Amino acid sequence: MYRRFISEILFLSLTFVSAVNATAPISGRIIADTAGTPLEYANVLLLSLPDSTFASGTVSDEKGRFQLVNVGSGKYVLKISYIGLETGTVLCEVSANPVDIGDIRLKESNVLNEIIITSKQNPFRPGDNGGIVANVAATLLSTVGTANDVLQRMPGVTVDNGKITVFGKGVPIVYINNRRIRDISELERTESSEIYTVELIANPGAKYDAEGRAVLLIKTKSNIDGFSAQVTERLRQGKYSGDYENINISYTHDELNLFATYVHNHSKQEATEDHYYTLKNTDGVWQHRTFLPYRYTNIPQQVSTGFDYSLNDRHAVGGQYQFYTGKYDDTMPIHAITHLNGVLHEMSHSDSYTKDNDYQHLVNIFYNGDFSEQYSFRFDFDYLKNKNDKKQYTEETISSDTESREINVCNQTDYYLYAGKLTNSWKSDIGLIELGGEYNNIAGNGYMYSNGYADDNEFTNMEQKAAGFVSYSHKIKGINIAGGLRYEFTFEQFTEGVTKQVIIDRTYSDIYPNISVSGTVKNVDLSLAFNKRTQRPSFSQLNGNVVYVNRFVFQKGNPYLNKSNIYDVNLQATMKPFYLDIGYAYVKNPVLISFMEQQSNANAILSTYANFPQNETLYATLNWNTQIKFWQPNYTTGVEQPFFTATYDGQGVEYDKISYFFKAYNDFMLPHEFVLSCNFNYQSDRQEAFIESKSYQRIDTGIRKSLFNNTLRLNLMVYDIFDWVKDKNYMRLNNMQWDADKKYETRYATLSVSYLFNNYRKKYRGNSAAQNDIDRF
């Protein structure tokens, strides 16, 4: 049924695209009048005449070039703006032939104020190869706060406690100015006023790592010469107070940019978790209840510094160093009660204390070379050293014993990564060809020691990955065709014990294709795409470290996990102000959490990970966004149909419950340039494989204002005003049943104060050579 459904979508979409209207592109290059240098990320607006209504928009690339595609016949005016330069206008007329404006020179301005056009610019527009682009700089999105606040308003994107997911796709790869970010908290340190555009690519091409099912590309504004700084203080008030400090400094002179960042965050929160486990075995029915009211403190810090230097207008080099340290402590009283066949078997109380310290050093260097207008070359190299030291101390009292006992569990892991990536690009009249390769080498070791209440373990882990890719894209009479192939070869070896006994020695060899076709039918932009991606287990899922809850409940990784392969089909349609995305995903060998009996204790429960045969999902997202005078609404609704089968109590169970969500973001421009936000989120009951979650809803509100010519920004937000968000989960698998009732601190307020001096930070052009593997740490 679903194969036929997908085939019909393919046929209808190709039929639509073949009927593209007669349109033509407009192109040109934007340069500084005095220096004659290309201007990257200049804002380009196309306004139709005679009423000057918004027709299209884009930003210039690193060579100052821009192109507006699928422009209908008529008379237009181009409006080009850039920080620190006068706004330029160009009249043009479009017929059936492409229009090349040539060089557009922008003169210096004595006024450095930002020019933001918000009158008729739509917040979103379709991307060149499908997906959607947020026009941040020219809309109210520039005032919402941070990059996370912008992403939260992207159709189908959810940001929850710092975790970003794309509906139907999972966790995306995120780039800022072509540099893949290592630390997702960097988005919280990026002001929305610094961003030009954000592009969501729902079907990434071959040049992106095969693990990325979706990509978010964030482009920021360039810096003007001189010293710039940004200082942000954010106070958080929930049950406990928290604080966040961020200092960014940058110095730019001619072709040299120096930058440094320091970030400190202190967070203290409370949570409660109530878990019910039911286990059926030869003894009968075991019922374990574990209640954990705990308090935790998290203190991450990061220091980074680097440089970006243009040797000339064609060649650039740079380097960046980042040091990250994280200190996590929790105090967790654990109350446990166990029944066997309905009769009380045992009660226990534990006081558990955990210290978790992370250290990470990351070095990135790059070289960019434009050897001609047609050919360019780039190289990136990464070195990473990661160390995790975790200690858990538990004092446990059992009702059947006269004395308490102490359980100490120590885990430590050390990993090293070396990676290189090179990309060659050829651009000509017949299209764009990109060809490149990657090599990653990862080596790690670790151990787990206890004082007799858990199995001691030592391990080593080694991975080597070599990849090559080629991609091609071309526009033919308004139709954009893109495709590519990516090949990856991976070698893995895992050993256990002091003797380093090899328990895993395997290789993967796979090809990942992608293809997309996009175009315009009347007023509808259509895109149809297919790709194959992969998902490798994280190192925390692979290693053998043990977390001791009580003598009946343990948590541990699984080194035998295999990677998953994912097949995606997407149909996207944009007709302003609506955006529709319909997709189907088939996942082979998904890695899912699994509960099983502990080998040495038949009535205990081990929480670990396992591969399952397959998982399928059919989903659709619809977004409506526009601007109505002082009101900017942004509403998104989505529906998801899963298809998953598991076994419980000897019988097959179908998990195919339809779920849906609704997000309503409302921004209002008030007098005296205050901006009021009123946001509502609702998520219905849903199933992710065999884990079911109950519905929740939340309301957030806030007010923000900029002062002193946009150099001082104030933002007050209150989240989950009515404290509605609760996390309730259910699972039925094999001979196990699990029910969990969790409550985290979701109601809190933040007050952010940011001071910005000359703050249009020049981008660092380096790009991680192995960010997917870095993320797995």
Side-chain angles (χ1 to χ4, degrees):
M1 172 183 176
Y2 301 105
R3 289 196 182 102
R4 190 178 73 176
F5 172 77
I6 294 169
S7 299
E8 290 175 353
I9 290 178
L10 288 167
F11 175 75
L12 291 174
S13 302
L14 290 172
T15 302
F16 288 154
V17 172
S18 66
V20 172
N21 285 347
T23 58
I26 298 177
S27 61
R29 187 174 72 137
I30 304 169
I31 59 176
D33 185 50
T34 302
T37 56
L39 296 176
E40 185 177 9
Y41 303 137
N43 197 31
V44 181
L45 294 180
L46 183 68
L47 308 177
S48 62
L49 295 177
D51 54 1
S52 294
T53 57
F54 174 80
S56 185
T58 188
V59 294
S60 57
D61 63 17
E62 66 274 8
K63 297 179 182 179
R65 298 188 181 280
F66 69 90
Q67 185 176 56
L68 299 166
V69 298
N70 301 325
V71 179
S73 300
K75 295 182 178 180
Y76 299 90
V77 60
L78 278 168
K79 201 165 192 176
I80 302 98
S81 59
Y82 190 84
I83 303 302
L85 300 177
E86 293 183 356
T87 299
T89 58
V90 178
L91 295 174
C92 59
E93 185 172 355
V94 177
S95 58
N97 299 318
V99 178
D100 187 354
I101 303 297
D103 289 346
I104 302 172
R105 294 180 173 269
L106 299 186
K107 298 180 180 180
E108 291 186 2
S109 172
N110 293 324
V111 181
L112 298 181
N113 298 344
E114 181 175 359
I115 300 173
I116 298 179
I117 301 172
T118 60
S119 57
K120 295 185 180 182
Q121 169 102 333
N122 283 305
F124 301 99
R125 59 178 172 83
D128 290 341
N129 298 302
I132 194 165
V133 178
N135 298 304
V136 180
T139 67
L140 284 179
L141 290 173
S142 64
T143 67
V144 297
T146 68
N148 272 339
D149 296 308
V150 175
L151 296 182
Q152 182 75 296
R153 289 159 171 78
M154 295 287 290
V157 177
T158 300
V159 181
D160 187 11
N161 290 324
K163 181 181 179 181
I164 303 172
T165 56
V166 176
F167 189 60
K169 299 287 186 177
V171 179
I173 301 173
V174 182
Y175 289 84
I176 297 180
N177 297 325
N178 296 321
R179 175 182 61 86
R180 185 161 175 192
I181 64 174
R182 175 191 65 84
D183 181 7
I184 208 70
S185 66
E186 186 172 343
L187 297 173
E188 194 65 22
R189 305 192 297 268
T190 303
E191 294 285 331
S192 60
S193 57
E194 294 181 76
I195 301 173
Y196 260 122
T197 61
V198 178
E199 182 175 3
L200 170 62
I201 303 177
N203 289 277
K207 68 179 180 180
Y208 298 105
D209 195 295
E211 289 195 65
R213 296 181 60 195
V215 171
L216 286 165
L217 302 178
I218 299 173
K219 294 183 178 181
T220 63
K221 303 170 184 176
S222 298
N223 193 31
I224 58 179
D225 278 354
F227 175 79
S228 64
Q230 173 186 330
V231 180
T232 299
E233 175 69 32
R234 181 172 300 114
L235 303 177
R236 184 187 189 277
Q237 186 62 56
K239 185 168 185 178
Y240 300 97
S241 298
D243 59 275
Y244 167 89
E245 293 79 34
N246 177 21
I247 302 173
N248 286 294
I249 58 175
S250 176
Y251 176 75
T252 302
H253 180 68
D254 294 332
E255 302 302 324
L256 176 65
N257 175 238
L258 304 173
F259 56 88
T261 301
Y262 172 72
V263 179
H264 171 269
N265 190 14
H266 181 275
S267 176
K268 183 178 181 180
Q269 299 181 47
E270 282 190 353
T272 59
E273 297 185 16
D274 205 353
H275 298 263
Y276 298 84
Y277 305 93
T278 301
L279 171 65
K280 297 180 181 180
N281 61 17
T282 54
D283 295 331
V285 179
W286 291 89
Q287 293 175 305
H288 305 290
R289 181 190 179 187
T290 305
F291 179 65
L292 304 86
Y294 60 95
R295 182 174 63 251
Y296 61 93
T297 302
N298 193 21
I299 310 176
Q301 297 184 78
Q302 179 176 300
V303 177
S304 63
T305 184
F307 75 97
D308 187 305
Y309 180 66
S310 295
L311 302 171
N312 51 46
D313 60 351
R314 291 185 177 273
H315 301 275
V317 295
Q320 183 172 218
Y321 167 74
Q322 293 180 344
F323 171 72
Y324 170 86
T325 177
K327 295 183 179 180
Y328 173 89
D329 300 319
D330 71 43
T331 302
M332 184 180 300
I334 304 173
H335 309 282
I337 183 170
T338 298
H339 289 82
L340 174 60
N341 296 324
V343 179
L344 179 63
H345 177 75
E346 183 177 289
M347 296 179 63
S348 68
H349 172 78
S350 303
D351 288 309
S352 178
Y353 174 62
T354 300
K355 293 182 65 176
D356 194 348
N357 294 322
D358 282 308
Y359 307 92
Q360 190 168 93
H361 301 268
L362 176 64
V363 177
N364 170 256
I365 59 174
F366 79 91
Y367 163 76
N368 286 352
D370 295 328
F371 292 91
S372 68
E373 292 295 327
Q374 289 75 36
Y375 173 68
S376 63
F377 171 87
R378 68 173 295 131
F379 173 74
D380 292 274
F381 174 81
D382 285 330
Y383 166 76
L384 172 78
K385 179 180 179 181
N386 179 277
K387 180 176 182 179
N388 176 262
D389 188 2
K390 183 175 183 179
K391 295 180 173 64
Q392 182 186 7
Y393 308 98
T394 303
E395 184 175 345
E396 185 177 46
T397 302
I398 302 174
S399 59
S400 58
D401 294 342
T402 57
E403 296 182 358
S404 62
R405 58 180 183 172
E406 293 184 357
I407 300 97
N408 300 325
V409 180
C410 300
N411 298 280
Q412 182 174 304
T413 58
D414 291 274
Y415 277 95
Y416 300 86
L417 175 145
Y418 302 88
K421 179 179 180 179
L422 59 88
T423 305
N424 300 274
S425 299
W426 290 271
K427 189 174 183 180
S428 65
D429 293 338
I430 62 171
L432 172 65
I433 298 175
E434 293 183 295
L435 176 69
E438 303 173 23
Y439 176 77
N440 300 348
N441 183 73
I442 301 170
N445 62 82
Y447 65 80
M448 193 287 297
Y449 293 144
S450 74
N451 57 344
Y453 296 98
D455 296 332
D456 293 348
N457 184 38
E458 292 187 18
F459 70 90
T460 66
N461 190 3
M462 184 178 69
E463 286 190 16
Q464 294 177 336
K465 182 180 74 173
F469 65 86
V470 60
S471 64
Y472 172 78
S473 62
H474 188 43
K475 295 177 182 177
I476 306 173
K477 296 182 179 180
I479 301 176
N480 191 65
I481 301 173
L485 284 175
R486 182 182 181 88
Y487 171 76
E488 291 189 353
F489 176 84
T490 305
F491 166 72
E492 297 180 358
Q493 186 180 82
F494 192 93
T495 72
E496 280 192 339
V498 178
T499 60
K500 293 182 171 52
Q501 179 183 359
V502 177
I503 62 172
I504 292 179
D505 190 351
R506 63 191 175 195
T507 60
Y508 298 115
S509 180
D510 217 337
I511 293 177
Y512 302 95
N514 71 279
I515 186 170
S516 67
V517 180
S518 58
T520 301
V521 178
K522 296 185 178 178
N523 295 323
V524 182
D525 294 291
L526 289 172
S527 174
L528 181 69
F530 164 81
N531 65 25
K532 176 186 175 183
R533 315 301 286 178
T534 191
Q535 183 67 54
R536 286 182 287 271
S538 68
F539 289 103
S540 63
Q541 294 172 332
L542 289 169
N543 69 42
N545 290 353
V546 173
V547 176
Y548 181 92
V549 181
N550 56 52
R551 71 192 192 100
F552 293 108
V553 181
F554 299 81
Q555 297 175 5
K556 187 179 180 182
N558 178 9
Y560 295 95
L561 293 173
N562 288 305
K563 69 181 182 70
S564 308
N565 281 330
I566 305 163
Y567 303 85
D568 278 322
V569 178
N570 266 93
L571 173 64
Q572 299 169 17
T574 304
M575 183 177 67
K576 299 172 185 177
F578 296 100
Y579 167 76
L580 175 67
D581 181 15
I582 300 174
Y584 168 79
Y586 173 85
V587 184
K588 184 179 181 181
N589 296 326
V591 175
L592 304 171
I593 193 169
S594 175
F595 291 101
M596 61 185 68
E597 296 180 30
Q598 184 87 340
Q599 296 295 320
S600 59
N601 187 357
N603 57 9
I605 296 165
L606 173 66
S607 171
T608 185
Y609 299 90
N611 288 103
F612 287 77
Q614 65 182 50
N615 191 13
E616 298 176 81
T617 308
L618 187 64
Y619 58 91
T621 304
L622 178 64
N623 173 262
W624 174 66
N625 60 83
T626 188
Q627 186 168 320
I628 305 172
K629 295 184 178 179
F630 60 88
W631 173 39
Q632 183 169 300
N634 182 359
Y635 294 174
T636 303
T637 186
V639 61
E640 188 174 53
Q641 168 78 70
F643 303 94
F644 186 82
T645 302
T647 301
Y648 172 64
D649 202 16
Q651 297 182 349
V653 181
E654 298 289 336
Y655 293 91
D656 54 3
K657 185 175 184 176
I658 296 177
S659 64
Y660 60 93
F661 75 89
F662 176 69
K663 298 196 304 182
Y665 286 84
N666 300 276
D667 288 320
F668 301 93
M669 287 294 298
L670 304 180
H672 306 293
E673 297 184 351
F674 283 92
V675 180
L676 174 68
S677 292
C678 298
N679 308 322
F680 173 75
N681 280 270
Y682 175 79
Q683 172 66 61
S684 71
D685 294 352
R686 61 202 182 280
Q687 293 177 333
E688 296 180 25
F690 45 76
I691 297 179
E692 302 182 58
S693 302
K694 296 296 289 183
S695 64
Y696 69 86
Q697 57 189 347
R698 66 182 293 164
I699 294 177
D700 309 327
T701 189
I703 192 164
R704 55 192 184 269
K705 179 175 174 57
S706 297
L707 301 169
F708 306 120
N709 197 26
N710 231 12
T711 60
L712 183 66
R713 298 189 175 98
L714 308 177
N715 193 340
L716 174 65
M717 285 293 301
V718 182
Y719 298 91
D720 194 14
I721 294 175
F722 301 104
D723 202 23
W724 283 338
V725 177
K726 293 180 175 59
D727 191 2
K728 295 186 177 182
N729 307 111
Y730 310 89
M731 190 197 78
R732 312 289 184 268
L733 183 67
N734 298 330
N735 61 339
M736 270 286 305
Q737 177 178 324
W738 170 64
D739 301 87
D741 192 349
K742 308 172 188 177
K743 184 68 181 83
Y744 305 110
E745 191 176 318
T746 56
R747 180 170 59 182
Y748 59 92
T750 62
L751 174 62
S752 299
V753 181
S754 296
Y755 173 74
L756 306 100
F757 173 75
N758 199 23
N759 99 301
Y760 298 105
R761 196 166 45 219
K762 187 177 178 68
K763 68 181 181 65
Y764 170 68
R765 287 170 286 188
N767 186 10
S768 174
Q771 191 63 41
N772 260 8
D773 287 319
I774 292 173
D775 292 341
R776 295 166 66 202
F777 292 102

